[in-house]
């Protein structure tokens, strides 16, 4: 009888131990959030460094991942818990009925914003009205297409008035500088 | 950043082209939201506290940029930051950006904001005190 009692209690304890372990591991599992390793992700760095998520009993891990399709795929696959998307990516996700929701926006442009069209400092390009026939480097993504189109329209121009060079990305600061200095391009959308 | 190195001159900014341009959003899958609503709310409380911290302690906040980005400190301390409010943006601004995309052939039609945005997990402004 004693042996049976001991086996029974032992089995219960093992079950309890397994359940507690599973619970603990799910609680300790970090919440994985994507970021682009840019200055624009500052709120994420601050929340980590100031312990704002730790105060909420959350273990958040930043995962560097770029590209809307990659980020959405990672989320749907369960590799990440939250991701960042530009508005264009969010609109297209909604268009395709992808089951994700934007729960917060991560900032907007303002009067002090310096992202935009940059000309070589030594060039004679002084304003957007000097863009005609110039070589303009851009990433080719939706954001730069929008900004460029609106800017050209303000100057009374269209995309056919410039020589667009696609493939340079917003976060390639060193490449931007090199491209301008080499005179390979006249203007960069960055 | 380019201007700081003396390499460029800013002709026009994103804000000149599209005032109040929204740069990015943070999403969760519908399944995650359904299964972990309290976790998402806790995450967003922390995020909004960070927005407030940057608003009131910008210089201190900038000190963490080099650690996470590799950007030099002098650049980190002077680069323009986005404007962070409480995570919400006006629907009018979102639709304005959709209209521009439609105009340039990057979106076929307008999509209702409520189809892809859910602010219900964000804290009310009154609940989150400003961190100073």
């Amino acid at each position: 009888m004693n042996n049976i009692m001991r086996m029974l209690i032992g089995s219960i304890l093992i079950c309890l131990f397994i359940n507690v372990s599973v619970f603990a591991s799910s609680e300790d599992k970090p919440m994985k959030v994507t970021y682009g390793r840019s200055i624009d992700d500052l709120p994420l760095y601050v929340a980590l460094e100031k312990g704002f998520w730790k105060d909420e009993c959350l273990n958040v891990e930043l995962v560097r991942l770029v590209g809307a399709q990659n980020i959405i795929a990672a989320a749907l696959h369960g590799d990440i818990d939250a991701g960042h998307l530009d508005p264009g990516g969010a609109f297209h996700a909604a268009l395709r009925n992808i089951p994700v929701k934007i729960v917060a926006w991560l900032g907007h442009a303002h009067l002090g914003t310096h992202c935009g069209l940059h000309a070589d400092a030594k060039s004679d390009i002084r304003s957007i009205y000097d863009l005609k026939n110039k070589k303009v480097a851009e990433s080719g993504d939706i954001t730069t297409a929008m900004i460029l189109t609106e800017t050209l329209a303000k100057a009374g121009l269209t995309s056919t008035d410039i020589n667009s060079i696609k493939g340079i990305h917003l976060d390639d600061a060193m490449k931007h500088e090199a491209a301008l200095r080499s005179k390979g391009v006249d203007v960069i959308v960055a | 950043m380019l201007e700081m190195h003396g390499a460029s001159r800013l002709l026009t900014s994103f804000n000149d082209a599209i005032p109040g341009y929204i740069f990015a959003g943070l999403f969760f899958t519908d399944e995650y939201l359904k299964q972990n609503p309290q976790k998402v709310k806790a995450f967003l409380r922390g995020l909004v506290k960070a927005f407030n911290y940057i608003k009131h302690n910008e210089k201190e906040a900038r000190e963490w940029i080099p650690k996470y980005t590799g950007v030099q400190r002098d650049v980190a301390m002077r680069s323009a930051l986005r404007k962070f409010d409480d995570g919400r943006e006006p629907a009018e601004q979102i639709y304005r950006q959709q209209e521009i995309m439609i105009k340039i052939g990057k979106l076929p039609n307008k999509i209702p904001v409520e189809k892809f945005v859910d602010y219900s997990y964000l804290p009310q402004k009154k609940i989150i005190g400003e961190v100073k």
Side-chain angles (χ1 to χ4, degrees):
Chain A
M1 185 67 182
N2 276 349
N3 283 344
I4 292 171
M5 281 300 286
R6 276 195 205 109
M7 281 175 65
L8 192 61
I9 291 167
S11 300
I12 291 169
L13 285 174
I14 287 168
C15 287
L16 276 173
F17 176 75
I18 289 169
N19 283 337
V20 168
S21 298
V22 168
F23 180 74
S25 71
S26 82
E27 286 302 295
D28 290 338
K29 191 182 160 195
M31 178 189 274
K32 293 186 177 180
V33 179
T34 66
Y35 79 122
R37 200 170 177 250
S38 79
I39 291 174
D40 299 323
D41 298 314
L42 182 57
L44 306 180
Y45 313 149
V46 168
L48 272 181
E49 293 289 339
K50 289 295 292 177
F52 293 149
W53 287 320
K54 201 175 171 188
D55 293 345
E56 297 284 351
C57 300
L58 290 177
N59 174 17
V60 174
E61 179 186 328
L62 299 184
V63 178
R64 192 185 182 204
L65 194 59
V66 293
Q69 288 184 348
N70 296 334
I71 293 169
I72 288 174
L76 296 178
H77 193 253
D79 295 334
I80 57 158
D81 298 309
H84 64 288
L85 277 182
D86 62 23
F91 303 158
H92 277 274
L95 199 64
R96 286 180 284 154
N97 295 314
I98 293 173
V100 299
K101 293 282 182 300
I102 297 285
V103 293
W105 295 102
L106 298 171
H108 57 253
H110 54 95
L111 291 175
T113 294
H114 279 229
C115 294
L117 273 67
H118 295 259
D120 180 352
K122 293 173 184 165
S123 76
D124 57 357
I125 304 168
R126 299 280 162 187
S127 77
I128 60 172
Y129 300 98
D130 300 325
L131 289 172
K132 194 170 173 64
N133 297 325
K134 295 294 187 288
K135 289 175 281 185
V136 180
E138 52 153 328
S139 67
D141 67 15
I142 292 172
T143 297
T144 55
M146 290 168 71
I147 300 300
L148 197 50
T149 305
E150 291 298 285
T151 298
L152 291 172
K154 281 185 181 177
L157 302 170
T158 69
S159 59
T160 58
D161 291 311
I162 60 166
N163 180 8
S164 176
I165 300 166
K166 292 184 171 61
I168 191 158
H169 291 279
L170 286 173
D171 56 354
D172 285 348
M174 298 310 288
K175 286 184 188 169
H176 297 166
E177 196 170 331
L180 282 176
R181 290 207 162 136
S182 71
K183 312 292 180 196
V185 300
D186 301 306
V187 173
I188 285 182
V189 185
Chain B
M1 210 181 288
L2 283 169
E3 290 169 282
M4 285 176 208
H5 290 179
S8 77
R9 177 189 307 122
L10 180 66
L11 299 177
T12 189
S13 76
F14 276 34
N15 196 63
D16 295 330
I18 305 172
Y21 183 80
I22 304 165
F23 286 102
L26 196 121
F27 76 87
F28 284 89
T29 62
D30 290 354
E31 187 184 350
Y32 193 93
L33 291 169
K34 193 177 172 186
Q35 290 178 357
N36 306 279
Q38 296 310 319
K39 266 190 174 180
V40 174
K41 285 180 180 178
F43 175 82
L44 292 176
R45 280 195 297 272
L47 184 67
V48 174
K49 279 182 186 172
F51 290 159
N52 283 332
Y53 185 86
I54 295 167
K55 199 180 291 180
H56 298 287
N57 307 274
E58 188 180 311
K59 190 169 174 288
E60 291 86 342
R62 284 173 179 271
E63 295 284 356
W64 287 304
I65 292 172
K67 175 179 172 182
Y68 288 90
T69 65
V71 169
Q72 291 172 347
R73 186 179 177 276
D74 63 325
V75 174
M77 298 308 283
R78 289 186 293 152
S79 291
L81 298 178
R82 295 174 180 175
K83 188 172 182 200
F84 303 106
D85 289 330
D86 66 347
R88 297 170 177 84
E89 295 288 354
E92 297 76 30
Q93 180 67 27
I94 298 168
Y95 284 129
R96 182 168 144 65
Q97 293 186 202
Q98 285 191 10
E99 282 164 9
I100 296 169
M101 280 180 63
I102 292 167
K103 189 172 73 179
I104 63 174
K106 300 286 185 184
L107 193 68
N109 50 266
K110 261 190 185 180
I111 303 152
V113 167
E114 57 272 17
K115 187 174 178 184
F116 61 95
V117 176
D118 187 348
Y119 295 141
S120 66
Y121 299 89
L122 276 167
Q124 298 296 314
K125 279 183 181 178
K126 286 176 185 172
I127 293 173
I128 295 290
E130 290 182 343
V131 180
K132 293 187 180 174

